[in-house]
Amino acid sequence: MNAPWELGLAEAARLIEAGELAPSELVSSVLERIDEVEPLLHAFVSVDGEGALRTARAQDSAPGGPLRGIPVAIKDIFDVAGFPTRCGSDAYADVPAASADAAAVARLRAAGAVVVGKTTTHELACGVYTPPTRNQWDLERSAGGSSGGSGAAVAAGAALGAIGSDTGGSIRIPASHCGIVGVKPTYDLISRAGALVLSWSLDHVGPLTRSVEDAVLLLSVLAGVQLSSDGDVSGLRVGVLRDAPFSPFEPDVGTALDDAVAILAAAGVAVDDVAVPALDRSLSAEFAIVAAEAASYHEARLARAADRIGDGVRGLLEVGLLLPSSIYLRAQRTRRALQQSVADAFDEHRLDALVAPTVPAAAQRVEQLEYELGGAAEPVIEALVRTTAPFNLVSMPTVAVPTGIGAGGMPGSVQIAARPFEERTALRLARTIERAAPPLGRPRGLEAARVNPV
C-alpha cells in the first residue's frame, strides 16, 4: 500500500472529503517524508512540523474548504505569518517574522491548506538555480530556479503542492528539471501582495504540482476562479515554436517536443510549425526590464548592505541603477512589439495555443556555468531564460508539463502557452499530453541514495 505522501493533491483532497483519510494522517506522512529526503535535497529553509500537525489535527473533525488538510510548501519570498521572509539572501537575514500572510498564502489557508514549511530560492528570486537544493533525478544536478526548493519538494513528495514565482521562467524551469507541472498564469491573475518584488511588470505567482489536475485545483484557489482541464481538444489549432529563441536545443529536448506534438495530433489537434521571429529579441528586453525594476526596488538595501548581496545578483542590481531610462523604455516598447507579433501570429494561423520546449537542455550540474548547444558555449542562465522569458514578456498563461524520461535519464518537458486569461485552453492541452506521455517512474537520484522515491 502506498504511503499518503505519494497521493496526488486532488486525490488526497477527495479522500479527505470522503472521510477516508484524516488530515493529520496525511500531514504526518509528508513530514516523515521531509525527514527522509531533506538531508539529500535541501529543499526547505524552515519546516513547521508542530504547527502543521496542530492545524491538521484541528481539521480532522471539522469541515473545510477544497484544500482541507493538504500539505503545501511556500517559496521563501512570500510572507508567512510568524516566520521571517529571508529571500535566499544574507541581506534579509535579520528581518523580523512576518506579521501576516501574503495574499496567495492566505488564499491557500482559507481553502484549508496546511503550510509545512518554506522552500529555498535563488537569492532575491533572481536566478536559474537554487543552492544548495539538489535534483531528485540526479543529486549532482540543479533543481532549477529560482523556485527550485518548491520544485524539489513537490517532486520528492515532501509537499503535495507548492507556490513559486516566475519572472523569466522561475516556475517552469524547476518544473522541467524536476519532472513536474508548473503554471505561470496570466499576469496579475494571482495577487503578488506580500511577496518580494523582483520585477513588478514581469513577476507572476503560480503553482507547482505533480499533475495537471493538481495544478488546476491549486490555481483555482489562488486565482479565486473555477478552472478545469477537462474537455475535448480535437479541433484546436496549436503552433509549434522550433526556431530561435527556442533553438538550439539538446536532442532529448527535440524528442520531447516531437513526442508532445504527436500526442496532440493523435488527439485531433491541428499542429503546424509557426515562426515568430520577433521573439528572438526577448532576452535583451527581459534582462533590461528586470535589471531596472529590481534595482529600483532594492536601491535602499543596496546602498546600506551591498556586501550582503551575492556578487551575481549585486552586479545585476548595480547595472540596473546605471541603466539609462531610454534603454528601459526601449525594452518596454520591445515588449509591446513582441505582444503584437504573437497576437498577429495567433490571428494569421487561427491558433488557440503555442507549444515549445520548456528549456533547451537538461538540468545543469551543480557547478556548471555553460551548456554546449548548437556547437557553441552558452551561459546556463541565458540558455534557460531564452525559452521561458518570451511568455513573461507577452503575459500569456503557460503550463510546463512532463513528456517522459529522455535518453539521458532526465525528465523531458514542453510548455503550452495560450491567449491571456485562457488558462483553461493551456491546461486542457497540457493534460492531453500528460495522459498519453509515458510515466516518469522512480527518480534515480533518490533510488541511488536508497530513499523510497515518488
Side-chain angles (χ1 to χ4, degrees):
M1 180 178 177
N2 291 339
W5 64 260
E6 297 180 86
L7 294 167
L9 186 153
E11 181 184 6
R14 287 191 290 268
L15 291 172
I16 289 173
E17 176 65 21
E20 298 176 22
L21 177 66
S24 61
E25 181 184 0
L26 176 59
V27 170
S28 293
S29 179
V30 166
L31 291 173
E32 290 173 3
R33 180 62 173 171
I34 292 174
D35 288 342
E36 188 177 20
V37 301
E38 181 60 13
L40 297 169
L41 295 181
H42 311 291
F44 287 87
V45 296
S46 62
V47 175
D48 184 20
E50 289 185 8
L53 273 176
R54 185 168 56 249
T55 300
R57 286 169 181 151
Q59 293 180 340
D60 281 349
S61 57
L67 297 179
R68 174 185 165 218
I70 299 299
V72 298
I74 310 297
K75 182 178 181 179
D76 192 28
I77 66 162
F78 294 91
D79 287 345
V80 173
F83 293 86
T85 305
R86 296 202 167 114
C87 308
S89 177
D90 187 53
Y92 283 77
D94 302 325
V95 297
S99 59
D101 288 334
V105 177
R107 279 191 179 270
L108 294 176
R109 286 203 209 262
V114 178
V115 175
V116 295
K118 302 194 76 177
T119 54
T120 56
T121 173
H122 190 115
E123 185 171 22
L124 305 186
C126 185
V128 296
Y129 60 95
T130 310
T133 306
R134 300 301 179 98
N135 191 305
Q136 81 279 6
W137 295 94
D138 182 342
L139 296 175
E140 297 304 313
R141 293 182 184 267
S142 169
S146 62
S147 308
S150 289
V154 170
L160 268 61
I163 57 171
S165 63
D166 192 312
T167 304
S170 289
I171 287 172
R172 289 160 291 150
I173 293 168
S176 178
H177 283 2
C178 295
I180 60 174
V181 174
V183 181
K184 183 204 75 63
T186 306
Y187 178 75
D188 244 8
L189 182 70
I190 300 172
S191 173
R192 291 165 287 127
L196 174 82
V197 172
L198 176 58
S199 171
W200 55 79
S201 71
L202 292 172
D203 292 347
H204 299 68
V205 177
L208 296 102
T209 62
R210 295 206 292 266
S211 74
V212 175
E213 181 186 21
D214 293 352
V216 168
L217 181 51
L218 269 192
L219 187 62
S220 296
V221 167
L222 290 165
V225 297
Q226 187 59 50
L227 296 169
S228 173
S229 60
D230 295 332
D232 186 10
V233 297
S234 62
L236 295 181
R237 300 187 65 86
V238 173
V240 185
L241 296 171
R242 299 181 188 271
D243 298 334
F246 302 95
S247 65
F249 43 71
E250 291 180 342
D252 275 1
V253 173
T255 300
L257 182 61
D258 290 342
D259 290 347
V261 167
I263 289 169
L264 294 176
V269 177
V271 187
D272 292 299
D273 287 2
V274 299
V276 187
L279 290 179
D280 201 22
R281 301 160 63 193
S282 297
L283 202 59
S284 57
E286 169 79 14
F287 284 145
I289 293 170
V290 170
E293 294 184 355
S296 176
Y297 181 81
H298 291 288
E299 184 172 6
R301 194 173 298 274
L302 190 62
R304 68 175 182 268
D307 60 333
R308 300 183 69 178
I309 300 174
D311 291 346
V313 175
R314 186 176 68 247
L316 177 73
L317 298 179
E318 290 172 344
V319 167
L321 288 176
L322 300 175
L323 203 65
S325 60
S326 59
I327 292 179
Y328 173 75
L329 293 173
R330 186 177 300 120
Q332 289 287 11
R333 287 195 295 270
T334 298
R335 180 184 186 183
R336 182 68 189 95
L338 299 184
Q339 292 170 341
Q340 189 60 55
S341 294
V342 171
D344 290 346
F346 267 72
D347 291 341
E348 178 185 351
H349 299 282
R350 295 179 291 116
L351 298 175
D352 296 289
L354 296 167
V355 60
T358 306
V359 294
Q364 71 273 25
R365 298 195 175 277
V366 171
E367 302 299 331
Q368 185 176 347
L369 299 178
E370 293 181 333
Y371 286 117
E372 287 291 331
L373 297 170
E378 183 176 4
V380 166
I381 187 170
E382 292 183 13
L384 297 179
V385 174
R386 67 170 160 86
T387 60
T388 50
F391 299 118
N392 294 81
L393 291 164
V394 299
S395 303
M396 298 171 70
T398 311
V399 182
V401 60
T403 57
I405 298 296
M410 297 298 290
S413 177
V414 296
Q415 53 185 336
I416 306 289
R419 293 180 185 271
F421 299 104
E422 288 293 331
E423 274 78 8
R424 290 175 178 85
T425 299
L427 290 164
R428 284 162 58 200
L429 290 164
R431 193 161 192 203
T432 299
I433 294 170
E434 177 185 70
R435 284 171 167 165
L440 298 183
R442 294 181 177 273
R444 61 179 186 174
L446 294 182
E447 281 281 307
R450 297 183 180 177
V451 173
N452 180 30
V454 175

